[in-house]
mmCIF file of all heavy atoms in Angstrom:
data_model
loop_
_atom_site.group_PDB
_atom_site.id
_atom_site.type_symbol
_atom_site.label_atom_id
_atom_site.label_comp_id
_atom_site.label_asym_id
_atom_site.label_seq_id
_atom_site.Cartn_x
_atom_site.Cartn_y
_atom_site.Cartn_z
ATOM 1 N N VAL A 142 -12.735 12.107 -18.785
ATOM 2 C CA VAL A 142 -11.426 12.924 -18.493
ATOM 3 C C VAL A 142 -11.545 13.741 -17.158
ATOM 4 O O VAL A 142 -12.708 13.818 -16.622
ATOM 5 C CB VAL A 142 -11.003 13.857 -19.682
ATOM 6 C CG1 VAL A 142 -10.571 12.981 -20.881
ATOM 7 C CG2 VAL A 142 -12.165 14.804 -20.000
ATOM 8 N N ASP A 143 -10.490 14.351 -16.733
ATOM 9 C CA ASP A 143 -10.575 14.958 -15.432
ATOM 10 C C ASP A 143 -10.907 16.432 -15.478
ATOM 11 O O ASP A 143 -10.411 17.241 -14.549
ATOM 12 C CB ASP A 143 -9.220 14.702 -14.693
ATOM 13 C CG ASP A 143 -8.055 15.449 -15.305
ATOM 14 O OD1 ASP A 143 -8.184 15.865 -16.454
ATOM 15 O OD2 ASP A 143 -6.901 15.473 -14.788
ATOM 16 N N GLY A 144 -11.470 16.881 -16.519
ATOM 17 C CA GLY A 144 -11.921 18.266 -16.585
ATOM 18 C C GLY A 144 -12.945 18.438 -17.759
ATOM 19 O O GLY A 144 -13.249 17.376 -18.464
ATOM 20 N N PRO A 145 -13.475 19.637 -18.011
ATOM 21 C CA PRO A 145 -14.568 19.787 -19.017
ATOM 22 C C PRO A 145 -13.961 19.643 -20.410
ATOM 23 O O PRO A 145 -12.725 20.065 -20.714
ATOM 24 C CB PRO A 145 -14.957 21.330 -18.776
ATOM 25 C CG PRO A 145 -13.910 21.918 -17.947
ATOM 26 C CD PRO A 145 -13.152 20.794 -17.216
ATOM 27 N N ILE A 146 -14.715 19.055 -21.185
ATOM 28 C CA ILE A 146 -14.399 18.860 -22.737
ATOM 29 C C ILE A 146 -15.040 20.106 -23.430
ATOM 30 O O ILE A 146 -16.213 20.227 -23.620
ATOM 31 C CB ILE A 146 -14.911 17.616 -23.199
ATOM 32 C CG1 ILE A 146 -14.404 16.398 -22.406
ATOM 33 C CG2 ILE A 146 -14.608 17.412 -24.691
ATOM 34 C CD1 ILE A 146 -15.042 15.030 -22.666
ATOM 35 N N THR A 147 -14.141 21.076 -23.659
ATOM 36 C CA THR A 147 -14.587 22.344 -24.169
ATOM 37 C C THR A 147 -14.922 22.258 -25.618
ATOM 38 O O THR A 147 -14.408 21.350 -26.422
ATOM 39 C CB THR A 147 -13.615 23.489 -23.896
ATOM 40 O OG1 THR A 147 -12.332 23.062 -24.545
ATOM 41 C CG2 THR A 147 -13.382 23.598 -22.379
ATOM 42 N N GLU A 149 -13.240 24.036 -27.726
ATOM 43 C CA GLU A 149 -11.962 24.061 -28.268
ATOM 44 C C GLU A 149 -11.424 22.676 -28.577
ATOM 45 O O GLU A 149 -10.862 22.381 -29.651
ATOM 46 C CB GLU A 149 -10.980 24.934 -27.354
ATOM 47 C CG GLU A 149 -9.595 25.149 -28.056
ATOM 48 C CD GLU A 149 -8.546 25.634 -26.850
ATOM 49 O OE1 GLU A 149 -9.025 25.371 -25.642
ATOM 50 O OE2 GLU A 149 -7.527 25.776 -27.221
ATOM 51 N N VAL A 150 -11.545 21.888 -27.630
ATOM 52 C CA VAL A 150 -11.109 20.530 -27.628
ATOM 53 C C VAL A 150 -11.873 19.765 -28.757
ATOM 54 O O VAL A 150 -11.305 19.094 -29.672
ATOM 55 C CB VAL A 150 -11.350 19.697 -26.364
ATOM 56 C CG1 VAL A 150 -11.062 18.211 -26.511
ATOM 57 C CG2 VAL A 150 -10.665 20.352 -25.156
ATOM 58 N N PHE A 154 -10.318 18.096 -32.303
ATOM 59 C CA PHE A 154 -10.419 16.675 -32.648
ATOM 60 C C PHE A 154 -11.125 16.572 -34.072
ATOM 61 O O PHE A 154 -10.812 15.754 -34.817
ATOM 62 C CB PHE A 154 -11.264 16.046 -31.574
ATOM 63 C CG PHE A 154 -10.601 15.727 -30.299
ATOM 64 C CD1 PHE A 154 -9.332 16.378 -29.979
ATOM 65 C CD2 PHE A 154 -11.137 14.904 -29.305
ATOM 66 C CE1 PHE A 154 -8.742 16.177 -28.824
ATOM 67 C CE2 PHE A 154 -10.506 14.738 -28.062
ATOM 68 C CZ PHE A 154 -9.289 15.297 -27.782
ATOM 69 N N MET A 158 -5.605 16.211 -35.868
ATOM 70 C CA MET A 158 -4.495 16.730 -34.974
ATOM 71 C C MET A 158 -3.145 16.204 -35.611
ATOM 72 O O MET A 158 -3.034 15.058 -36.092
ATOM 73 C CB MET A 158 -4.631 16.222 -33.610
ATOM 74 C CG MET A 158 -5.791 16.914 -32.877
ATOM 75 S SD MET A 158 -6.047 16.275 -31.230
ATOM 76 C CE MET A 158 -4.723 17.050 -30.324
ATOM 77 N N VAL A 192 -5.719 8.351 -27.850
ATOM 78 C CA VAL A 192 -6.822 9.087 -27.236
ATOM 79 C C VAL A 192 -6.222 9.931 -26.085
ATOM 80 O O VAL A 192 -6.485 11.158 -25.883
ATOM 81 C CB VAL A 192 -7.937 8.204 -26.709
ATOM 82 C CG1 VAL A 192 -8.920 8.891 -25.955
ATOM 83 C CG2 VAL A 192 -8.562 7.497 -27.896
ATOM 84 N N LYS A 193 -5.334 9.306 -25.284
ATOM 85 C CA LYS A 193 -4.675 9.984 -24.128
ATOM 86 C C LYS A 193 -3.913 11.135 -24.633
ATOM 87 O O LYS A 193 -3.910 12.288 -24.025
ATOM 88 C CB LYS A 193 -3.793 9.040 -23.361
ATOM 89 C CG LYS A 193 -4.562 7.996 -22.566
ATOM 90 C CD LYS A 193 -3.762 6.933 -22.004
ATOM 91 C CE LYS A 193 -4.636 5.851 -21.315
ATOM 92 N NZ LYS A 193 -3.853 4.632 -21.234
ATOM 93 N N ARG A 194 -3.184 10.955 -25.744
ATOM 94 C CA ARG A 194 -2.264 12.086 -26.333
ATOM 95 C C ARG A 194 -3.198 13.196 -26.773
ATOM 96 O O ARG A 194 -2.932 14.318 -26.684
ATOM 97 C CB ARG A 194 -1.396 11.499 -27.418
ATOM 98 C CG ARG A 194 -0.249 10.716 -26.814
ATOM 99 C CD ARG A 194 0.348 9.709 -27.776
ATOM 100 N NE ARG A 194 1.233 10.462 -28.866
ATOM 101 C CZ ARG A 194 1.615 9.935 -29.952
ATOM 102 N NH1 ARG A 194 1.221 8.778 -30.208
ATOM 103 N NH2 ARG A 194 2.299 10.653 -30.824
ATOM 104 N N MET A 195 -4.271 12.812 -27.480
ATOM 105 C CA MET A 195 -5.233 13.846 -27.925
ATOM 106 C C MET A 195 -5.713 14.780 -26.825
ATOM 107 O O MET A 195 -5.617 15.992 -26.883
ATOM 108 C CB MET A 195 -6.406 13.307 -28.645
ATOM 109 C CG MET A 195 -6.009 12.625 -30.083
ATOM 110 S SD MET A 195 -7.186 11.606 -30.823
ATOM 111 C CE MET A 195 -8.503 12.750 -31.354
ATOM 112 N N PHE A 196 -6.161 14.170 -25.636
ATOM 113 C CA PHE A 196 -6.629 15.016 -24.643
ATOM 114 C C PHE A 196 -5.562 15.664 -23.885
ATOM 115 O O PHE A 196 -5.794 16.767 -23.343
ATOM 116 C CB PHE A 196 -7.503 14.038 -23.624
ATOM 117 C CG PHE A 196 -8.823 13.846 -24.099
ATOM 118 C CD1 PHE A 196 -9.209 12.658 -24.785
ATOM 119 C CD2 PHE A 196 -9.803 14.767 -23.984
ATOM 120 C CE1 PHE A 196 -10.578 12.381 -25.208
ATOM 121 C CE2 PHE A 196 -11.252 14.544 -24.395
ATOM 122 C CZ PHE A 196 -11.456 13.348 -25.108
ATOM 123 N N SER A 197 -4.376 15.090 -23.813
ATOM 124 C CA SER A 197 -3.282 15.755 -22.957
ATOM 125 C C SER A 197 -2.779 16.945 -23.664
ATOM 126 O O SER A 197 -2.326 17.871 -22.940
ATOM 127 C CB SER A 197 -2.072 14.684 -22.776
ATOM 128 O OG SER A 197 -1.390 14.662 -23.922
ATOM 129 N N ARG A 198 -3.021 17.139 -25.000
ATOM 130 C CA ARG A 198 -2.754 18.479 -25.617
ATOM 131 C C ARG A 198 -3.467 19.669 -24.905
ATOM 132 O O ARG A 198 -3.191 20.725 -24.965
ATOM 133 C CB ARG A 198 -3.180 18.395 -27.072
ATOM 134 C CG ARG A 198 -2.485 17.532 -27.871
ATOM 135 C CD ARG A 198 -1.309 18.154 -28.587
ATOM 136 N NE ARG A 198 -0.645 17.137 -29.396
ATOM 137 C CZ ARG A 198 -0.785 17.006 -30.679
ATOM 138 N NH1 ARG A 198 -1.557 17.821 -31.373
ATOM 139 N NH2 ARG A 198 -0.228 15.942 -31.332
ATOM 140 N N PHE A 199 -4.568 19.213 -24.224
ATOM 141 C CA PHE A 199 -5.464 20.267 -23.609
ATOM 142 C C PHE A 199 -5.363 20.174 -22.206
ATOM 143 O O PHE A 199 -6.297 20.625 -21.436
ATOM 144 C CB PHE A 199 -6.886 20.152 -24.174
ATOM 145 C CG PHE A 199 -6.968 20.401 -25.675
ATOM 146 C CD1 PHE A 199 -6.887 19.364 -26.507
ATOM 147 C CD2 PHE A 199 -7.149 21.666 -26.211
ATOM 148 C CE1 PHE A 199 -6.855 19.630 -27.925
ATOM 149 C CE2 PHE A 199 -7.041 21.897 -27.578
ATOM 150 C CZ PHE A 199 -6.943 20.813 -28.413
ATOM 151 N N GLY A 200 -4.387 19.538 -21.646
ATOM 152 C CA GLY A 200 -4.081 19.356 -20.243
ATOM 153 C C GLY A 200 -5.187 18.474 -19.492
ATOM 154 O O GLY A 200 -5.335 18.502 -18.284
ATOM 155 N N LEU A 201 -5.808 17.641 -20.335
ATOM 156 C CA LEU A 201 -6.820 16.786 -19.779
ATOM 157 C C LEU A 201 -6.229 15.289 -19.692
ATOM 158 O O LEU A 201 -5.622 14.734 -20.589
ATOM 159 C CB LEU A 201 -8.090 16.728 -20.647
ATOM 160 C CG LEU A 201 -8.823 17.975 -20.605
ATOM 161 C CD1 LEU A 201 -9.918 17.940 -21.789
ATOM 162 C CD2 LEU A 201 -9.533 18.315 -19.269
ATOM 163 N N LYS A 202 -6.554 14.690 -18.475
ATOM 164 C CA LYS A 202 -6.039 13.368 -18.205
ATOM 165 C C LYS A 202 -7.266 12.432 -18.460
ATOM 166 O O LYS A 202 -8.333 12.672 -17.956
ATOM 167 C CB LYS A 202 -5.492 13.282 -16.860
ATOM 168 C CG LYS A 202 -4.886 11.934 -16.474
ATOM 169 C CD LYS A 202 -4.251 12.157 -15.079
ATOM 170 C CE LYS A 202 -3.445 10.868 -14.684
ATOM 171 N NZ LYS A 202 -4.216 9.598 -14.485
ATOM 172 N N VAL A 203 -7.075 11.298 -19.222
ATOM 173 C CA VAL A 203 -8.127 10.367 -19.365
ATOM 174 C C VAL A 203 -8.113 9.450 -18.066
ATOM 175 O O VAL A 203 -7.254 8.906 -17.651
ATOM 176 C CB VAL A 203 -7.769 9.381 -20.650
ATOM 177 C CG1 VAL A 203 -8.802 8.317 -20.748
ATOM 178 C CG2 VAL A 203 -7.828 10.325 -21.902
ATOM 179 N N THR A 204 -9.359 9.445 -17.511
ATOM 180 C CA THR A 204 -9.462 8.683 -16.295
ATOM 181 C C THR A 204 -10.291 7.300 -16.493
ATOM 182 O O THR A 204 -10.223 6.489 -15.756
ATOM 183 C CB THR A 204 -10.333 9.436 -15.223
ATOM 184 O OG1 THR A 204 -11.532 9.965 -15.779
ATOM 185 C CG2 THR A 204 -9.476 10.610 -14.681
#
Side-chain angles (χ1 to χ4, degrees):
V142 292
D143 66 349
I146 302 170
T147 60
E149 187 199 4
V150 174
F154 287 8
M158 290 174 80
V192 175
K193 290 174 189 156
R194 285 161 72 195
M195 287 167 75
F196 279 100
S197 78
R198 295 269 178 98
F199 298 90
L201 292 167
K202 187 170 182 296
V203 172
T204 51

